[in-house]
Amino acid sequence: MQEKQQFEQELGKLLRPEQIRREEPLSRHTTFRVGGAAEYLVTPELGQIPQVVALCKRYDLPLTVIGNGSNMLIADTGLRGVVMEIGRAAAGITVTDETDLLVQAGTLLSEAANTAAKHGLAGMEFAAGIPGSMGGAVVMNAGAYGGEMKDILTEVRVLTLDGEILVRPAQELDLSYRHSRMMDEGELVLEVRVHLEMDDEAAIRARMEELKKKRVEKQPLEYPSAGSTFKRPEGYFAGKLIEDAGLRGFRVGDAQVSEKHCGFVINRGSATAADIMELMHQVQLRVREHSGVDLEPEVRLLGF
């Protein structure tokens, strides 16, 4: 108990009171709108992140890092230790060298894409509708409509497990479909440099609008979800496999396979994380029975 009090005192010296919340419901911090409480939820500025990580290490407290909460399912029992949300407090964009953006990890992709468009810089249109933060998008090499983060990344500044801050060029990041070196090695993305191309702002915004229309038509944006629930198996589309297995609209409690797009699991209002987890499990079983294909979750599963 005394150790916890010491930890809280030291955390209080590092962060302002409004940056620390105890027993904070994580349903408020994920796009699925489910998940139990974080023992401590902290929202550091970019420069405070290494100190928070070092403090957790010193007190041997579990540390979970989240961004915009858009690609994860957190258990109803919540998460013990510290949940560090790299969000608004760690956001910022600088335009450098005319065609490069330097983007802090907590910046929303939509904000970065809009800033690029405003400066007549093309290449981020695909990211405008992805509801994630820059750091999380780089870690999972997020993509949509034929574009991926690896197409525009030139380098990232990371915090290693040893507490070192390094700049890694994109070619060292092992970026592939929904995968990166940071995912394997537990490194934290602090800042990202992307290289874009000069173009007419009106043309860029027209492309963004076109992609937005496609999303609205095809995706169940009216319900809480975590985007594509399963990774695309090689040679297949997850949504088509789920539909072919007769699972369009399939429900467990208030968790449902979207009738609009079978690749999405949605929360119809009062789903629990357990409902969503059970639904995902049933989908995996039935798709394997029907087509022999194993579906792998794209969402991060935390606390199960």
Side-chain angles (χ1 to χ4, degrees):
M1 190 62 186
Q2 196 178 355
E3 203 169 77
K4 271 279 169 76
Q5 286 172 338
Q6 285 175 340
F7 167 77
E8 287 179 11
Q9 280 175 3
E10 290 200 48
L11 188 63
K13 287 174 191 170
L14 274 183
L15 303 176
R16 299 184 301 280
E18 65 271 21
Q19 291 178 286
I20 306 165
R21 298 180 210 174
R22 291 182 203 169
E23 298 303 327
E24 171 73 6
L26 290 166
S27 55
R28 296 175 184 167
H29 299 267
T30 65
T31 57
F32 251 141
R33 297 287 174 258
V34 300
E39 188 175 2
Y40 300 96
L41 178 86
V42 299
T43 53
E45 293 166 13
L46 199 69
Q48 296 168 326
I49 291 171
Q51 297 163 291
V52 172
V53 172
L55 186 65
C56 292
K57 206 170 185 179
R58 199 157 75 243
Y59 282 91
D60 200 24
L61 277 174
L63 173 66
T64 306
V65 180
I66 67 172
N68 196 43
S70 61
N71 194 51
M72 56 187 57
L73 177 62
I74 295 174
D76 299 312
T77 47
L79 297 170
R80 295 295 85 194
V82 177
V83 176
M84 179 164 65
E85 183 179 77
I86 300 178
R88 197 173 297 163
I93 306 171
T94 311
V95 182
T96 66
D97 308 328
E98 278 198 338
T99 53
D100 285 15
L101 293 186
L102 199 58
V103 188
Q104 293 184 6
T107 309
L108 290 175
L109 286 171
S110 54
E111 193 184 333
N114 274 298
T115 299
K118 192 169 109 182
H119 287 85
L121 296 173
M124 279 207 76
E125 294 89 327
F126 75 91
I130 300 174
S133 60
M134 184 58 83
V138 170
V139 169
M140 69 169 292
N141 185 29
Y145 297 108
E148 287 182 305
M149 293 307 297
K150 73 179 178 67
D151 302 333
I152 56 173
L153 268 182
T154 58
E155 62 181 31
V156 297
R157 192 153 61 91
V158 298
L159 178 68
T160 70
L161 284 175
D162 297 328
E164 252 190 303
I165 293 177
L166 301 174
V167 174
R168 294 201 190 282
Q171 54 268 33
E172 287 181 12
L173 301 180
D174 192 20
L175 296 165
S176 56
Y177 177 67
R178 304 301 174 261
H179 172 266
S180 72
R181 171 186 185 156
M182 289 77 71
M183 204 179 264
D184 294 338
E185 298 185 12
E187 293 181 343
L188 265 182
V189 173
L190 299 175
E191 202 165 40
V192 175
R193 183 182 290 274
V194 297
H195 177 72
L196 304 168
E197 303 293 333
M198 301 288 283
D199 199 357
D200 175 62
E201 181 183 351
I204 296 167
R205 293 208 180 272
R207 288 193 292 272
M208 284 166 69
E209 193 55 37
E210 196 181 318
L211 293 180
K212 184 182 173 182
K213 277 182 189 165
K214 281 186 184 176
R215 271 189 297 275
V216 170
E217 279 168 24
K218 295 179 180 179
Q219 297 178 11
L221 303 178
E222 63 274 28
Y223 291 104
S225 81
S228 296
T229 310
F230 298 98
K231 290 182 182 177
R232 186 177 69 237
E234 205 168 331
Y236 299 93
F237 291 100
K240 179 79 165 64
L241 290 170
I242 293 165
E243 184 177 2
D244 290 349
L247 293 167
R248 182 184 290 276
F250 175 69
R251 286 177 77 153
V252 173
D254 248 7
Q256 183 181 35
V257 172
S258 167
E259 291 174 291
K260 197 173 188 182
H261 188 317
C262 292
F264 285 65
V265 170
I266 59 171
N267 176 359
R268 291 194 62 93
S270 58
T272 63
D275 291 338
I276 295 168
M277 194 68 168
E278 177 58 24
L279 178 73
M280 288 172 65
H281 179 60
Q282 290 297 329
V283 167
Q284 286 172 307
L285 284 177
R286 297 208 198 175
V287 167
R288 190 184 301 129
E289 281 170 12
H290 184 266
S291 61
V293 178
D294 285 315
L295 289 180
E296 190 184 334
E298 186 168 308
V299 295
R300 282 171 69 201
L301 306 172
L302 300 172
F304 290 93

